[in-house]
Amino acid sequence: MAWLDQGRPSLASSRGWRCFQLGLFLLPSSALLGSLLLFPALLFGCAGRDRPYWRDPWNAPLLAAAGLMVLGCFGAYDQGLAWVGLANWLPFFWGFWGFQPYLMNPESRRRSALWLVAGSVPVVVTGLGQLWWGWQGPWQLLGGLIVWFVAAGGRPEGRLSGLFDYANIASAWLALVWPLTLAALVQQGLNRWRRVVVVILAVLLVVALVLTESRNGWGSLVLVVPIVLGPPSWPWLIPLLALALLPVLLSVLPGVPLMLQDPARTLVPEGLWARLNDSQYGGERVLASTRISQWNVALQLIVERPWLGWGAAAFSVIYPLRTGQWHGHAHNLPLELAISHGLPVAVLMVGFVLALLVVSLRRGLSGLFDRAWWTALFVLMVLHGTDLPFFDSRLNIAGWILLAGLRSSFSERAHAQH
């Protein structure tokens, strides 16, 4: 218990801090197990606050969005789905505020980041096991209350998914954890054996992320490195990355002369350049199955109901009626928000996240792990430009905890000045 109490912020209760850390550790393996500890941590985090929820100006856009979301449910395309869909948002507006006491100083954010990294070990191990050793579920815990459907060979076949339902979701989690793992790897003060452990974990995580075959995940591997290592590394790191990426670009970009493209494709693994330019589809993907078609229909739906939207999950019902293809969402978070809850809500939520990222960057990031924390949230935001991994509750919870950490860094400075 004394070890768990280390790094506890002054405004956090010891019981809440212990629950919060262990909840972060269990979260990657199970949203239920993680929530059994994070929920009491949330209750402890709300007790004894110096001002109520509505007095924090950063909560104002969340309150406004919540009101519009509830109002839109009364005229939704499918009211049942619309009311249920609020569970993806309203509880997390509360969590954003309630988790802040646990993230009020750089050390608590560092420890929280390391708990997420350590908790991701089962994701990496099960993912590698399903591809390399044919591991297969379902595995049950607590009498079937928790079931892991680990698919032999991955889901879809040949792509690592681990404890997640789909490879792209596993990739999103690993991409979120990658900057935190990189910070753990390059931090100072580790002894030899701890350094060896972190190196092994970092290598396995990168391998797992590559094996998801997610193009977003591959992009995050490169994007994260210069941001986490910071500006001092840029004079040598950015030219090195550009040199390493040049053969990849030559192998996939259209219009590159064959005298350049053919040698590049001999250097770059075929699985990589084939995945990047969609050649596995033979260049004949059905238009209705592409992001472009989904976004075109999404824009039409927004124009038809711009103010309060169609209600949560309406896209999954309307899109098949208009195209004959099924997709559960619009593969873009601002579009999904505008379809489900209207343009004002989309503007409020996107503006809220961007404002947190910009303001925290302008005020300065205090150290390596705060840079990694900011980068993890930035990567998650970028991923939501072409997919919606937040529908997995583990990623949703982690994302709001990252947001709470950025907000806490402002409160930390305000308290220090006061």
Side-chain angles (χ1 to χ4, degrees), residues 131 159-161 167-168 170-171 174 207-214 217-218 275:
L131 292 185
R159 296 177 58 188
L160 182 145
S161 54
N168 285 351
S171 171
L174 295 173
V207 170
L209 188 48
V210 169
L211 291 176
T212 64
E213 294 190 15
S214 165
W218 291 347
R275 173 68 177 157

Side-chain angles (χ1 to χ4, degrees), residues 168-169 172-173 329 380 383-384 387-393 395-396:
N168 285 351
I169 308 301
W173 180 270
H329 51 72
L380 194 58
L383 294 180
H384 279 88
D387 207 350
L388 293 183
F390 88 99
F391 281 127
D392 183 279
S393 54
L395 278 153
N396 205 354

Side-chain angles (χ1 to χ4, degrees), residues 3 23-24 39 62 96 100 107 114 165 174 190 192 203 285 310 318 335 362 397 410:
W3 179 70
L24 291 178
F39 182 70
L62 302 182
F96 168 73
Q100 289 176 27
E107 176 59 19
L114 293 176
D165 293 334
L174 295 173
L190 292 183
R192 179 184 302 176
V203 169
R285 291 193 71 177
W310 295 80
I318 300 173
L335 291 180
R362 290 185 62 184
I397 293 169
F410 308 160

Side-chain angles (χ1 to χ4, degrees), residues 8-356:
R8 177 172 65 89
S10 59
L11 298 180
S13 70
S14 59
R15 287 179 293 179
W17 177 231
R18 295 166 190 167
C19 288
F20 182 72
Q21 294 175 88
L22 295 177
L24 291 178
F25 177 68
L26 293 174
L27 180 62
S29 296
S30 167
L32 176 60
L33 290 177
S35 297
L36 288 176
L37 289 162
L38 289 173
F39 182 70
L42 179 58
L43 297 178
F44 284 123
C46 293
R49 299 288 287 272
D50 55 355
R51 56 179 175 175
Y53 183 97
W54 55 88
R55 294 282 300 278
D56 186 338
W58 282 94
N59 293 336
L62 302 182
L63 288 170
L68 291 171
M69 286 176 172
V70 171
L71 184 61
C73 288
F74 292 101
Y77 186 83
D78 186 320
Q79 291 195 16
L81 288 175
W83 287 106
V84 171
L86 294 182
N88 284 318
W89 295 101
L90 301 191
F92 300 98
F93 294 174
W94 174 36
F96 168 73
W97 183 70
F99 288 134
Q100 289 176 27
Y102 305 115
L103 302 163
M104 290 290 289
N105 59 49
E107 176 59 19
S108 66
R109 292 189 289 274
R110 186 188 76 88
R111 285 180 67 91
S112 298
L114 293 176
W115 280 112
L116 285 172
V117 172
S120 299
V121 170
V123 178
V124 173
V125 172
T126 56
L128 297 177
Q130 71 181 168
L131 292 185
W132 292 350
W133 304 298
W135 291 0
Q136 183 173 0
W139 302 332
Q140 299 186 13
L141 189 66
L142 301 178
L145 188 62
I146 297 172
V147 182
W148 289 288
F149 295 98
V150 177
R155 185 178 178 192
E157 181 68 27
R159 296 177 58 188
L160 182 145
S161 54
L163 298 178
F164 291 85
D165 293 334
Y166 196 75
N168 285 351
I169 308 301
S171 171
W173 180 270
L174 295 173
L176 180 152
V177 175
W178 166 230
L180 309 178
T181 307
L182 182 58
L185 179 64
V186 301
Q187 67 178 316
Q188 297 180 352
L190 292 183
N191 62 37
R192 179 184 302 176
W193 295 112
R194 288 185 178 180
R195 183 77 66 188
V196 168
V197 170
V198 178
V199 168
I200 293 172
L201 176 56
V203 169
L204 292 179
L205 187 142
V206 169
V207 170
L209 188 48
V210 169
L211 291 176
T212 64
E213 294 190 15
S214 165
R215 289 165 288 193
N216 284 339
W218 291 347
S220 71
L221 279 174
V222 180
L223 175 66
V224 159
V225 177
I227 303 177
V228 172
L229 296 187
S233 69
W234 294 354
W236 62 267
L237 179 60
I238 291 180
L240 184 63
L241 289 175
L243 185 62
L245 290 174
L246 182 60
V248 178
L249 294 175
L250 292 175
S251 68
V252 299
L253 289 177
V256 175
L258 291 179
M259 62 179 297
L260 296 177
Q261 192 167 73
D262 287 343
R265 288 187 173 183
T266 62
L267 291 174
V268 179
E270 182 178 355
L272 176 59
W273 62 256
R275 173 68 177 157
L276 288 173
N277 70 5
D278 266 353
S279 65
Q280 71 266 45
Y281 297 104
E284 301 293 336
R285 291 193 71 177
V286 177
L287 179 62
S289 70
T290 64
R291 299 285 194 269
I292 295 174
S293 172
Q294 296 157 31
W295 294 342
N296 283 336
V297 174
L299 291 172
Q300 294 170 17
L301 293 175
I302 294 168
V303 170
E304 293 172 26
R305 288 196 183 186
W307 301 112
L308 293 175
W310 295 80
F315 184 88
S316 64
V317 178
I318 300 173
Y319 187 80
L321 299 176
R322 299 198 177 184
T323 66
Q325 298 277 334
W326 185 87
H327 281 286
H329 51 72
H331 287 88
N332 176 276
L333 185 54
L335 291 180
E336 184 74 19
L337 276 167
I339 295 167
S340 299
H341 306 293
L343 278 171
V345 168
V347 171
L348 283 168
M349 296 305 302
V350 173
F352 166 77
V353 175
L354 289 176
L356 271 174

